[in-house]
Amino acid sequence: MSSLRLETVGAAAPVQDALVRDWQHVHNLIIPPHFLSLDDVRERSTRNHLEVAYLGDTLVGCSTVRPPTSESPAATVIARVLPAYRERGFGTQMYERGLARARELGAESIETNVLGSNPEGLRFAKRRGFVEIETYVLPGDTIPYIDLRLES
Ligand SMILES: CC(C)(COP(=O)(O)OP(=O)(O)OC[C@H]1O[C@@H](n2cnc3c(N)ncnc32)[C@H](O)[C@@H]1OP(=O)(O)O)[C@@H](O)C(=O)NCCC(=O)NCCS
């Protein structure tokens, strides 16, 4: 299987604007009801660990690790792969890397979040031991989000 090149948004890389744009592109394509501006992404990169995945120079996906906090001891790990690159093991590579980082950050439990219109995401999470804990529709939205927790 091919290995991804993973770049961190917000690290001291010379191509930060491109990383922010690429992370935003993948996020907004996969989660259209939750549009994030470039400034939103920059702000998130100060709180969360955001990565962009490339195959050579080709954009493949992005990920989020939201660290545990004193209010919420669970970390959130989300992998996103562009539809054209799915079912080649990239989502697993990104998810496992995010999981390892969440554990390094001291997470007592791991959660993820899937948009209800992404059945592949729900199946992927459940196959890796996540169980549904909450389904909700945000104000003004019609598609539910599903929160899941890793049980193992
Ligand atoms: C979830 C998501 C990241 C998976 O990405 P992906 O790149 O397709 O993930 P993988 O290729 O690693 O695994 C997907 C399936 O393809 C299978 N697969 C992997 N390599 C394969 C290959 N070469 N041939 C056929 N199938 C393959 C895997 O076994 C896996 O099946 P399983 O989930 O039943 O175990 C992607 O569907 C996505 O971005 N969804 C929207 C975002 C989301 O909901 N994320 C979930 C929260 S983590």
Side-chain angles (χ1 to χ4, degrees):
M1 189 197 4
S2 319
S3 268
L4 295 174
R5 175 167 62 85
L6 291 138
E7 302 283 355
T8 301
V9 179
V15 289
Q16 272 308 318
D17 284 351
L19 289 178
V20 169
R21 266 198 310 278
D22 285 350
W23 193 97
Q24 180 207 35
H25 173 77
V26 177
H27 177 277
N28 289 346
L29 193 108
I30 293 178
I31 317 289
H34 189 200
F35 177 87
L36 294 180
S37 69
L38 293 172
D39 279 345
D40 291 334
V41 178
R42 287 190 191 97
E43 189 278 327
R44 275 174 187 237
S45 75
T46 65
R47 294 183 282 115
N48 300 338
H49 187 77
L50 308 183
E51 288 189 341
V52 188
Y54 300 93
L55 193 57
D57 288 334
T58 304
L59 176 62
V60 164
C62 76
S63 66
T64 299
V65 177
R66 194 176 306 140
T69 63
S70 48
E71 294 89 53
S72 167
T76 300
V77 176
I78 305 174
R80 306 176 195 89
V81 173
L82 291 170
Y85 300 98
R86 288 184 186 169
E87 301 199 343
R88 292 161 64 173
F90 297 140
T92 302
Q93 274 185 55
M94 294 167 67
Y95 164 70
E96 288 179 352
R97 182 175 160 103
L99 186 61
R101 176 163 289 267
R103 300 236 193 261
E104 277 166 24
L105 293 168
E108 288 175 18
S109 60
I110 307 290
E111 295 184 358
T112 195
N113 179 269
V114 176
L115 184 63
S117 55
N118 283 335
E120 314 87 349
L122 197 57
R123 193 191 62 224
F124 179 92
K126 288 184 171 177
R127 292 265 289 172
R128 280 152 189 80
F130 285 84
V131 296
E132 292 186 31
I133 50 175
E134 193 181 357
T135 298
Y136 52 91
V137 179
L138 291 176
D141 275 3
T142 51
I143 305 172
Y145 290 89
I146 302 155
D147 285 345
L148 302 102
R149 180 177 300 134
L150 188 58
E151 295 272 308
S152 50

